[in-house]
Amino acid sequence: DIQMTQSPSSLSASVGDRVTITCRASRRINNYVNWYQQKPGKAPKLLIYDASTLQSGVPSRFSGSGSVTEFTLTISSLQPEDFATYYCQQSYNTLTFGGGTKVDIK
Amino acid sequence: QITLKESGPTLVKPTQTLTLTCTFSGFSVSNSGVGVGWIRQSPGKAPEWLALIYWDDEKRYNPSLKTRLTITKDMSKNQVVLTMTNMDPVDTGTYYCAHRGGSGPTDWFDPWGQGTLVTVSS
């Protein structure tokens, strides 16, 4: 299986901050990476698919980039509703998720 | 609008077989490119993909659980069923079904059902 190593595992930030989360794949996966947001007690919600395509209805402050083995989710200006846990997921072969990044209030 | 909802037992005993049903609306699993997946999440852990069934009845399973899993679809009822045999306490968690996005080789899930908590205990 391809391992997805997400970093950091947690971070503290303030409203308005720029936040960057990274996922590194154990081998090349082209652009087959997706990003989800999960709030406590809720199902994950798709934010970005195919590394950089913003899902319909997702605010433009979210963006994705990267290719091959290194991928990034960026929140350009953190909003109160963005405090959550974020996961990457690869679909190059057996679907696997990263370990998650919890974003909380500084 | 696409919606999915999981149903099944909340408590199963070790060694028993778990059967979960995903009932969905807003799409047809017979349409090209469509799929439904199952994903579980243990408390405080990352999601773990279990299985995926496509419109053409192709099935994919997580290799680490493949011998225990079966996924089927019933187009007439708009349902996808997952069975998992030989349940163990480590299988405790929230089980989600989700609509498979995309029409090409890549798979993502959107939206997800609300999830159903399954506890394995004697």
Side-chain angles (χ1 to χ4, degrees), chain B residues 18-85:
Chain B
L18 172 69
T19 300
L20 294 173
T21 300
C22 176
T23 303
F24 56 85
S25 63
F27 68 96
S28 171
V29 75
S30 61
N31 290 349
S32 180
V34 173
V36 173
W38 284 94
I39 306 100
R40 72 177 179 182
Q41 189 171 28
S42 300
K45 302 293 186 182
E48 177 184 30
W49 169 68
L50 301 176
L52 181 51
I53 189 165
Y54 296 88
W55 79 100
D56 58 359
D57 213 36
E58 178 187 353
K59 300 164 187 176
R60 293 177 62 196
Y61 296 100
N62 187 319
S64 65
L65 295 164
K66 183 174 183 177
T67 60
R68 300 173 55 202
L69 296 173
T70 303
I71 190 170
T72 59
K73 58 180 170 64
D74 185 333
M75 291 183 286
S76 66
K77 294 182 179 179
N78 278 358
Q79 291 180 334
V80 169
V81 175
L82 180 77
T83 61
M84 179 180 288
T85 61

Side-chain angles (χ1 to χ4, degrees), chain B residues 101-120:
Chain B
S103 57
T106 181
D107 299 294
W108 64 84
F109 297 110
D110 180 68
W112 298 46
Q114 64 188 26
T116 185
L117 177 61
V118 178
T119 301
V120 185

